[in-house]
Amino acid sequence: MIKEYFTDGLIGLAILLSIFRTDLVGINNLINYPEVQEIILGQTVAYLPASYNHIINSHHPFESSKHLELSNEAFSAWHLNINNLPFLRERHRTEIEAFLVSGTQQNVELENFTGTPTTLNVEHEDNQIVDLSGQNLPEESASSYSEATISNDNVPESSEDTLQTAIADTSIVNNPFPGCNLTKEDLDLIDVLWQQDVDLGVGKEVFDLFLRQEIETKKEQELLKHQEWEKSQLQLREKQEKERQEEAEKWLKENFRRDGETGEWIRNSNGPSSSLDYFETDDSFTLEAALDYLSTNIDHALIKNLDISPGIIPSYSSDQLTDNCLIGTPEGQGFQQSQQLLSHQDSLEESLNGLLDFLSNEPVEDNSASLDQFGIDLNTGNITSDMKLDQDLDAQTDYLIQNVTMQSQEIQPVANEMNATFPFLSTNSSDQMNFDLDSLSFLNSLATMQNGGLDDGELFENIPVDSNETLLNANIPLNESMDTFTVLHDNFSQSLGAMASPSSYDGLCDSLDGLEGAIGGSDLSASSQNNITRPYSKVNRLSESSNDSGYPFQSGFSSSSPASSSASSPAGCHYSNISTSGNDTEQDPQNTQTVARHAVAHNHTYNTPPGQVPREVKKYAPKEPSRKGPHSRDQRRLEEFKIPYTIDDIIESPVETFNEMLKSHKLSEAQLSLIRDIRRRGKNKIAAQNCRKRKVNVIVNLSDEMVDLEKARDKLLKERAEIEKETLKMKEKFGHLYTHIFQSLRDEHGQPYDPNLYSLQQTSDGDVLLVPQSMNRNKYSNSSSASSSPTSSKDSVNSKKRKSFDE
DNA sequence: CGCATTTGTCATGGT
DNA sequence: GGACCATGACAAATG
């Protein structure tokens, strides 16, 4: 910076001296300064600020600010030359005008000194840069290599035509100096300059063809090497991916079988988790069932040491804990499902081997998968997962909140066992586990755990213990925990931000449903029907949904991809359907039905037109459950006919499914008729609802339009009134004027004309005529009988007595 | 009981 | 031709 500053100053000083005709060569002190030497030798030119560039002559595209390179002799010669200019000798001005920039050799113009150093070029009139010894050079070589050309007289001259051609040729790299054949000496000189670190403006390879080729070859080789390396990396990655998939598939096939009809994956009865017979019917596995199971197996001795809300906290007898480390395989299923999806977490899986060893009671895949889902970089604690992973994590963590309210130290053994049972759940039970989902300290705890004494099996040995800290804020009763769960989830959904944008939360959906009455539309529900599976509604209804057919949990396995969903795990299924929900109508009609029920059971109160007081929305709202309409009648008839379908099944299912339903059971004609009837009426009912909504919308729009039209009409009426008022004014004015003019007229005797006998009329050309009334009558009668042209009337008037008045 | 409103159903026509 | 949708008309349910 300082150097640059001084350089600029010195250059300016040099120019000043040259202007004042001071012989720079004679000032030894000055010229011996290294900076001045650099200026002269051109070394420092590279430091010149970029503002020089604006002085570059636009006619010489190859010039650059870096070409201020003059040898000592050249600079002296140039300086002498300048000094000898008669034009300069005559100048004795206090105003500093400097920087000879362009001009002929004999007639160098001086341009105003702007205070900034600039490019020095002595330019011939015909755009050929002239070296100071008087030789004409091609512009490119002169501009780019002024130093070389100055000291080298071997450079051949080139004509202006050649120059123009060269300028047009922009392919510098291929042929940077057309018309300028560099000899070996030239190249040697360039080499010397290059070794002296003289800035030539371009790389050395530009001059040396062989060097250029060599560099290009090197570059190509490097590129090839890089490509090969990338290719091998890609192959390696693909291979790893494949292996992982095979492993997962193998595990799935070992533990599950695929239903030939439905395509669902069903757990084998002899699977690794089958020891928990209680949960064998895992399709209908619910939290309630799990809690029931737990409550029946609580080791009362342990309860003393646990701050447990009975009925909430999963707790196990020691035997069960050691024998069956995975409670309710649904989690295992869900995790396994997710494993494939999250297969990129391989490194994590490897890094958790210690933990897996500790959890050796568990099938490795299960644990790894469950841990896999967290997607944590164990070194940093950062979440490395994608959105899906975060969602699963979110879901799981929420699940924990429902179930875990443990206190620390005293329950270490249980905690360990619990940890074995819910590896994702109580990894750090003695640590103050802050379930604030935003902070994700829970995840950090995993990292801590991993770094802790896993090998010796003392999982929590190194973890600081705060026995006074509960894992959760309180022992939350089940229902409250559900609420808390929802609330927490809502909070976390904010942090998820756009990721959670599908707004698939029950609370939101419920509020939307609640809004429907007011906004009079099921469109929102319709959208939710199409796009949102509302997984949380399932979770929230776990306590009441034992007969809910397990729709949400079947969906995952009925999907063709085993990784598409963590089925049957209430914790793992939350978001699983979002990605595929767009096809729910086709792929998962049952699930759609579950949602569709919300869409059907609407309050179809009409829209409230703007400006009207909203009607009482709840007027008819409570009646639906008590209503004994055809719906219940149909249900009854279905039961009478022993038809194994619900009304919703019949109405909401797509045609294909509906036809399969009819075919799958041998139904009588009456049964078929009833089913078709129910479907038709149900469809029509929805259609009627939609139709009414549309009708209301049309009415609203029409009323809006009517208001607008009324406004427009009022405006037009107002305008008309204004115009009529103006017209009246004009008529009055005209009347006054007419009277005034008429009374001013006098006949030959100086008497005023009788207004009953004469009247004033104006022709189209502006003349005012005094017309006798008889003429008027004739005229009017003429005009009434036949159209009389203005000219004819005028002629007739002219033939009569015509009075012109000067006033 | 009469009225207004909502809702379900039927018939019909269109896609 | 069947499925589906839209809509007018009617009737039942409801407040």
Side-chain angles (χ1 to χ4, degrees), chain A residues 293-552:
Chain A
Y293 171 77
L294 296 175
S295 61
T296 58
N297 291 279
I298 285 176
D299 188 335
H300 294 285
L302 289 174
I303 294 179
K304 290 178 182 175
N305 298 327
L306 293 171
D307 183 8
I308 292 174
S309 241
I312 303 173
I313 310 305
S315 179
Y316 305 92
S317 66
S318 303
D319 292 340
Q320 285 170 332
L321 285 167
T322 49
D323 291 338
N324 311 308
C325 284
L326 180 68
I327 180 171
T329 51
E331 281 85 0
Q333 291 176 5
F335 299 153
Q336 182 61 30
Q337 295 293 311
S338 304
Q339 186 189 18
Q340 290 187 355
L341 191 74
L342 307 170
S343 53
H344 62 280
Q345 299 293 322
D346 197 33
S347 58
L348 174 67
E349 187 176 328
E350 290 169 5
S351 66
L352 290 176
N353 278 339
L355 178 62
L356 301 183
D357 290 341
F358 173 74
L359 304 171
S360 56
N361 287 336
E362 182 68 17
V364 171
E365 288 84 355
D366 285 6
N367 276 326
S368 61
S370 62
L371 289 163
D372 219 355
Q373 284 192 324
F374 288 103
I376 307 161
D377 183 340
L378 290 178
N379 294 323
T380 63
N382 290 335
I383 306 169
T384 58
S385 67
D386 54 11
M387 170 182 158
K388 170 84 178 172
L389 181 65
D390 287 338
Q391 290 168 344
D392 285 336
L393 166 67
D394 166 36
Q396 289 179 5
T397 317
D398 282 346
Y399 190 57
L400 300 182
I401 295 169
Q402 295 178 64
N403 295 288
V404 184
T405 52
M406 286 189 184
Q407 269 189 337
S408 57
Q409 228 172 4
E410 298 171 348
I411 58 168
Q412 281 274 327
V414 181
N416 285 343
E417 288 158 349
M418 286 292 292
N419 185 55
T421 307
F422 288 115
F424 60 93
L425 185 151
S426 54
T427 50
N428 195 358
S429 64
S430 53
D431 197 0
Q432 178 188 354
M433 286 183 72
N434 183 5
F435 277 92
D436 181 355
L437 299 175
D438 291 329
S439 70
L440 290 170
S441 63
F442 168 69
L443 308 178
N444 291 324
S445 302
L446 262 182
T448 311
M449 179 183 68
Q450 203 262 353
N451 293 329
L454 293 176
D455 292 335
D456 54 6
E458 298 293 324
L459 186 59
F460 304 110
E461 191 179 62
N462 300 325
I463 299 171
V465 172
D466 185 354
S467 60
N468 292 326
E469 294 287 338
T470 53
L471 292 174
L472 282 177
N473 294 332
N475 300 327
I476 308 166
L478 182 58
N479 292 334
E480 277 183 38
S481 78
M482 291 297 185
D483 294 338
T484 310
F485 167 79
T486 309
V487 170
L488 284 170
H489 188 272
D490 286 343
N491 289 338
F492 189 61
S493 70
Q494 293 173 3
S495 69
L496 278 177
M499 289 195 298
S501 59
S503 62
S504 58
Y505 312 123
D506 209 27
L508 178 57
C509 294
D510 282 346
S511 64
L512 293 180
D513 281 352
L515 279 172
E516 278 177 22
I519 63 177
S522 66
D523 296 339
L524 288 166
S525 294
S527 69
S528 71
Q529 179 179 347
N530 292 332
N531 302 318
I532 302 170
T533 54
R534 309 171 71 181
Y536 275 86
S537 66
K538 316 298 186 292
V539 177
N540 277 343
R541 281 188 280 123
L542 278 177
S543 58
E544 62 183 37
S545 64
S546 57
N547 59 347
D548 208 1
S549 310
Y551 285 150

Side-chain angles (χ1 to χ4, degrees), chain A residues 243-260:
Chain A
E243 282 176 3
R244 254 197 318 270
Q245 283 185 359
E246 280 173 2
E247 265 183 36
E249 212 166 293
K250 194 180 167 189
W251 185 89
L252 193 67
K253 282 178 181 172
E254 279 176 3
N255 297 285
F256 297 90
R257 64 180 173 81
R258 191 159 192 170
D259 191 312

Side-chain angles (χ1 to χ4, degrees), chain A residues 543-596:
Chain A
S543 58
E544 62 183 37
S545 64
S546 57
N547 59 347
D548 208 1
S549 310
Y551 285 150
F553 308 134
Q554 289 178 1
S555 59
F557 277 133
S558 60
S559 168
S560 58
S561 165
S564 65
S565 164
S566 21
S568 67
S569 165
C573 70
H574 292 354
Y575 292 91
S576 57
N577 286 324
I578 289 176
S579 58
T580 58
S581 60
N583 296 325
D584 274 353
T585 311
E586 305 299 329
Q587 295 184 351
D588 190 13
Q590 289 175 320
N591 204 356
T592 310
Q593 288 163 25
T594 313
V595 179

Side-chain angles (χ1 to χ4, degrees), chain A residues 131 133 135-137 145-156 182-190 193:
Chain A
D131 77 349
S133 60
Q135 276 195 311
N136 290 344
L137 298 173
Y145 315 105
S146 56
E147 192 174 353
T149 53
I150 284 167
S151 56
N152 221 325
D153 293 338
N154 295 331
V155 178
L182 295 177
T183 63
K184 185 168 188 312
E185 284 131 5
D186 295 333
L187 291 173
D188 287 342
L189 179 65
I190 289 166
L193 291 171

Side-chain angles (χ1 to χ4, degrees), chain A residues 573-738:
Chain A
C573 70
H574 292 354
Y575 292 91
S576 57
N577 286 324
I578 289 176
S579 58
T580 58
S581 60
N583 296 325
D584 274 353
T585 311
E586 305 299 329
Q587 295 184 351
D588 190 13
Q590 289 175 320
N591 204 356
T592 310
Q593 288 163 25
T594 313
V595 179
R597 280 183 208 124
H598 295 267
V600 173
H602 292 147
N603 176 6
H604 290 284
T605 308
Y606 281 3
N607 282 335
T608 304
Q612 290 189 12
V613 180
R615 294 192 198 96
E616 212 178 336
V617 175
K618 290 183 179 177
K619 193 177 178 183
Y620 291 92
K623 78 182 178 186
E624 292 220 29
S626 63
R627 190 174 194 157
K628 293 179 179 177
H631 222 73
S632 62
R633 189 191 61 208
D634 287 337
Q635 188 68 54
R636 204 175 56 244
R637 287 168 69 185
L638 278 179
E639 288 165 7
E640 284 173 6
F641 279 92
K642 293 180 181 177
I643 296 170
Y645 302 118
T646 65
I647 292 175
D648 292 320
D649 291 339
I650 293 169
I651 295 172
E652 302 294 336
S653 59
V655 198
E656 294 173 14
T657 317
F658 180 68
N659 288 333
E660 282 176 12
M661 280 167 59
L662 297 185
K663 285 176 188 171
S664 60
H665 293 78
K666 288 188 176 179
L667 300 168
S668 67
E669 197 57 42
Q671 284 173 319
L672 285 174
S673 174
L674 176 63
I675 289 175
R676 290 209 177 93
D677 215 33
I678 288 171
R679 184 176 173 85
R680 180 179 48 77
R681 277 190 276 110
K683 293 270 185 195
N684 188 244
K685 188 176 78 178
I686 296 169
Q689 289 164 353
N690 292 332
C691 182
R692 284 167 178 145
K693 266 180 265 173
R694 269 192 303 275
K695 196 192 277 181
V696 169
N697 282 335
V698 168
I699 291 170
V700 169
N701 290 336
L702 284 174
S703 69
D704 286 348
E705 207 175 322
M706 196 176 73
V707 169
D708 292 342
L709 289 171
E710 281 175 350
K711 280 179 185 172
R713 185 197 60 187
D714 290 345
K715 194 181 171 187
L716 288 171
L717 285 174
K718 207 174 173 183
E719 278 180 17
R720 194 172 86 172
E722 293 271 335
I723 290 168
E724 283 176 349
K725 205 174 168 184
E726 284 290 315
T727 310
L728 208 65
K729 253 185 202 172
M730 295 295 287
K731 277 183 179 172
E732 276 180 18
K733 212 174 178 180
F734 176 80
H736 287 306
L737 202 61
Y738 182 92

